[in-house]
Amino acid sequence: LALLGTAIFDFGPFGTLTTQGLTSVQSKTHGSENITHITGAIPIPGENSIIGGTGIFEGVTGSARLSGAVNMQNIDNNEITFDCLFVIDID
């Protein structure tokens, strides 16, 4: 399963940075009962994952890598919780 993920990072007075890319999602095989799925996104070399920015991030390009865990136990109530780490490499 894959999804198009968009993340907005707010760095207060420095501005915002918005990333977007395909994210793989799969059921977990072991671990915490509060986690149902594992997520990950690894950009294609040279591909720009930054789709917007304000302040000092206006006009920047770069890549974003994601690794995380998701809890979809309450998806019937339109609730999904994420615990993700991002690595953003600005060109």
Side-chain angles (χ1 to χ4, degrees), residues 5-56:
T6 304
I8 301 169
F9 301 91
D10 185 349
F11 294 100
F14 299 104
T16 62
L17 187 65
T18 304
T19 65
Q20 188 174 73
L22 288 176
T23 302
S24 298
V25 181
Q26 68 181 38
S27 298
K28 69 158 181 145
T29 57
H30 65 280
S32 171
E33 293 180 13
N34 294 324
I35 300 301
T36 60
H37 292 75
I38 304 296
T39 62
I42 301 172
I44 297 169
E47 182 178 81
N48 181 35
S49 303
I50 299 173
I51 62 168
T54 64
I56 65 172

Side-chain angles (χ1 to χ4, degrees), residues 7 9 11 17-19 50 61-65 86-90:
F9 301 91
F11 294 100
L17 187 65
T18 304
T19 65
I50 299 173
T61 60
S63 63
R65 183 172 57 87
F86 286 83
V87 176
I88 301 171
D89 187 13
I90 296 173

